[in-house]
Amino acid sequence: ESREHGDDWYGTMALLGLDSLFAQTLFWTYVSLWVSCHLLIFQSRQPNSPAFNATSVVLLTEALKLLIALTLVLWNEGGFASLVRAVQGNRMLLVKYALPALLYCVYNNLVYVNLEVFDPGTYNVLLQLRIVLTGLLYQLLFSKQLNRHQWRAIILISVGCVVKESAKLSHGTDVMQADLRSWALLLAQMLCSVFAGVYNEMLLKGTGSGAVPVSTN
């Protein structure tokens, strides 16, 4: 029986593209960092925590990401001259990617703002409504109808998230004390993520005959 469970586990990992120990390690490291990040941000925004400028933190974080990305590119693509040639030959593509970059910048700043109002559990649950918005926007921009199974999956995920946090909603905790401005900022954060993700997929897939069939959903 344990062997069957082991086979099921490896089958699930392979289905997700996590068919190696390295890929699985990266996946679980990412999940751990993503969860702990929201918990730490929430704790850092409490009244008894040291004051800091959220925009500066976002700027430093993005600068670190840029440094890591440049290091990897220079390491794998053959040096700084090769990078400069690639940028000069794809200036229009660089301009196009400025839009999702700006949206993600706004999104990252709103993380700090919204976690000042919503606790991490409620925040993450409400943020799952991005899935529904992504489905709607995907249909509009790609002129492609989602099938019944995809819509069922979207509905099940949304309902599951709401049910998980229904006790907080019914007991009128902090989530119900958020004012209209807080809800508007949370919606703005979701829209930034949705538009940036779908637009990024449009850029990856392209519109010409040489389009690469890449999916980021």
Side-chain angles (χ1 to χ4, degrees):
E1 184 179 350
S2 60
R3 183 175 179 179
E4 290 180 0
H5 286 304
D7 291 340
D8 291 340
W9 169 258
Y10 285 115
T12 302
M13 291 294 101
L15 185 64
L16 295 173
L18 307 175
D19 51 358
S20 68
L21 180 61
F22 178 71
Q24 292 176 23
T25 301
L26 283 180
F27 174 76
W28 290 115
T29 301
Y30 171 78
V31 171
S32 302
L33 290 173
W34 188 79
V35 172
S36 60
C37 175
H38 288 162
L39 292 173
L40 290 172
I41 291 174
F42 174 75
Q43 201 61 39
S44 70
R45 305 304 282 174
Q46 300 307 301
N48 58 343
S49 300
F52 65 92
N53 187 289
T55 303
S56 298
V57 175
V58 173
L59 181 62
L60 290 172
T61 302
E62 298 306 319
L64 179 60
K65 289 180 185 179
L66 178 62
L67 179 61
I68 294 173
L70 285 174
T71 302
L72 291 174
V73 169
L74 294 175
W75 180 270
N76 293 291
E77 299 297 332
F80 187 74
S82 176
L83 175 62
V84 171
R85 286 195 300 270
V87 171
Q88 290 176 341
N90 298 276
R91 290 179 181 175
M92 198 60 216
L93 184 62
L94 189 65
V95 172
K96 289 179 180 178
Y97 269 106
L99 177 57
L102 177 62
L103 289 172
Y104 280 126
C105 179
V106 175
Y107 174 92
N108 290 335
N109 278 278
L110 288 175
V111 171
Y112 289 85
V113 175
N114 289 328
L115 280 173
E116 217 170 336
V117 180
F118 301 97
D119 67 88
T122 302
Y123 167 83
N124 283 315
V125 166
L126 294 174
L127 213 60
Q128 299 312 308
L129 293 174
R130 293 179 300 176
I131 299 171
V132 179
L133 296 175
T134 300
L136 294 173
L137 191 61
Y138 189 89
Q139 287 194 142
L140 291 173
L141 293 182
F142 290 97
S143 300
K144 180 180 178 181
Q145 293 294 321
L146 299 179
N147 60 44
R148 287 182 301 173
H149 298 298
Q150 289 171 319
W151 277 116
R152 285 172 182 170
I154 288 175
I155 293 172
L156 283 174
I157 292 172
S158 301
V159 171
C161 292
V162 172
V163 169
K164 180 182 179 299
E165 296 296 315
S166 59
K168 292 182 180 180
L169 294 171
S170 61
H171 287 87
T173 53
D174 291 343
V175 65
M176 299 304 291
Q177 297 174 11
D179 56 19
L180 184 60
R181 175 179 175 274
S182 300
W183 287 103
L185 289 175
L186 185 63
L187 177 61
Q189 183 183 353
M190 286 190 285
L191 290 175
C192 283
S193 174
V194 169
F195 278 107
V198 175
Y199 182 71
N200 188 53
E201 182 161 343
M202 290 178 63
L203 292 178
L204 288 172
K205 286 186 173 181
T207 56
S209 58
V212 179
V214 177
S215 176
T216 58
N217 287 331

